[in-house]
Amino acid sequence: SITDDEEGTLAKVSKANPWHNEAMTKITGSQEEANRPLTEILTDHFDLKLDHHIDVHKFAGMAAVDTQGFVAHNDDVVVVSFRCTTSAYDWMTNFHVASSEWELDVDLPLGHSGYCSCLMGRFCVKGEKKPRVHSGFYNNILQVIPILEEYVKPLLGEDQPPRTLYIVGHSLGAGISTLAACYFLLSYDWEKLPHRLLNISAGTPRACKGSMADLVNEKLDVLSPMGKAGIFRVVMNEDIVCKVPSERQGYEHIGKLVFLTEDGEVLVGPKVSDSHTVDEKEMKKMKENDPALVAALEAKEKEQKELGFRESVHHSMHHAKESIKRDYDKLVAKIPRPFRDHCPDCYLEPLLRLYEREHESQMKKC
């Protein structure tokens, strides 16, 4: 969702954020493909029909809202994707710490969380307190929910073919996707619907206070064993955005952790905290206690040796591209590691390698 159907969008966004161009090139396979209209990219690369391009840029009450993304679908899936951090304001939203009550019945008609919402529900509360969420992400999702109701809800009817609803995003988009997942999880009866919900986010800031996290986790405890819902957050090594807002402010992550190590390994559900870095020594200990991990790493090493010869044959053909790549690497090498690990291309590289290995394995079985 870093691009759209308007000419020059990717170039404009990448001018200050070259890693977005790098990520799109990895996804589509070439610079030329990356700059095609979003509609064509979705159709040709993912067999998806673009239903709506999300573009909300306005003030809602006292809150500045800046959300881009898209809704697309086919007979098997519905995809709701939110654009990542692209501006100084987006970074301010990521590092915001104020929270608001989750009260859609009141806030949806307003289109924002209300004035001084960070104070609402904290003093002289009658009855049960309402769950709280990140104010910045909440104001963004309040503007998007009517769009989701218009374009996604009809695709999730009981008369529709069974689909998986994927809600995805990176960085700012990851935070918004988390609250979009909360909305769908709490507003739809997934036990009765023929569909399922998956929220997969990368470089995800904390979006829920403990009260909302508890509510969501209770739902997941029921739906996950049924294969009806899952929330997965992907963390690249030392990514700083995954550590904000602080747990000291009462914020919590929701869902299962997928950890990408500094060596590019993909670990699903490791028992590590967000401040933990899995280095070579840690990997050695994990291998000693996990035979399946050892087998996976050995298979990867064998595959890399097999690919080595093919890559050397085509080396000269890619010399010009590699020269450009080296210039990009020199640029990003200057970025401190906690921020560098947040770049979308850093996330894509190990995930694409994993996809290629799994795809090749499936092809061999066939």
Side-chain angles (χ1 to χ4, degrees), residues 161-192:
R163 290 187 172 104
T164 298
L165 170 59
Y166 287 97
I167 306 175
V168 301
H170 168 260
S171 193
L172 172 72
I176 298 172
S177 82
T178 299
L179 294 194
C182 291
Y183 167 70
F184 279 107
L185 191 68
L186 301 176
S187 301
Y188 287 67
D189 191 346
W190 295 96
E191 292 185 57
K192 294 182 179 179

Side-chain angles (χ1 to χ4, degrees), residues 235-354:
V235 176
M236 177 65 194
N237 198 32
E238 298 181 34
D239 187 345
I240 192 172
V241 174
C242 302
K243 303 173 185 178
V244 297
S246 171
E247 291 176 301
R248 295 179 181 178
Q249 272 91 34
Y251 285 96
E252 296 181 13
H253 281 300
I254 59 174
K256 179 174 286 189
L257 170 65
V258 178
F259 194 84
L260 310 181
T261 73
E262 60 182 342
D263 298 320
E265 305 299 340
V266 181
L267 309 179
V268 180
K271 295 180 179 180
V272 296
S273 68
D274 291 307
S275 59
H276 189 73
T277 300
V278 180
D279 55 17
E280 187 176 349
K281 184 178 180 180
E282 180 75 6
M283 279 295 294
K284 184 176 180 181
K285 288 183 179 180
M286 294 177 74
K287 287 166 65 177
E288 291 174 354
N289 299 317
D290 192 341
L293 178 60
V294 175
L297 293 175
E298 288 177 348
K300 178 188 173 186
E301 185 178 351
K302 180 180 179 182
E303 178 196 20
Q304 288 177 332
K305 288 180 179 179
E306 292 175 351
L307 289 174
F309 175 73
R310 280 180 279 171
E311 289 177 352
S312 64
V313 171
H314 297 287
H315 175 74
S316 59
M317 297 174 60
H318 297 285
H319 180 73
K321 290 182 180 179
E322 287 300 314
S323 178
I324 296 173
K325 183 69 166 61
R326 283 196 296 272
D327 290 339
Y328 173 76
D329 289 340
K330 289 178 182 178
L331 172 66
V332 297
K334 300 175 183 178
I335 303 174
R337 187 61 180 267
F339 289 93
R340 173 71 186 105
D341 282 348
H342 185 65
C343 294
D345 56 308
C346 276
Y347 277 88
L348 278 171
E349 195 165 330
L351 293 174
L352 287 174
R353 284 204 304 268
L354 176 62

Side-chain angles (χ1 to χ4, degrees), residues 144-176:
V144 174
I145 285 175
I147 298 173
L148 301 180
E149 284 293 288
E150 180 178 355
Y151 292 96
V152 177
K153 186 176 181 179
L155 299 171
L156 298 178
E158 294 185 16
D159 61 335
Q160 292 290 307
R163 290 187 172 104
T164 298
L165 170 59
Y166 287 97
I167 306 175
V168 301
H170 168 260
S171 193
L172 172 72
I176 298 172

Side-chain angles (χ1 to χ4, degrees), residues 3 32 38 60 86 233 290 307:
T3 190
E32 183 180 2
L38 176 62
T86 59
R233 56 186 186 87
D290 192 341
L307 289 174

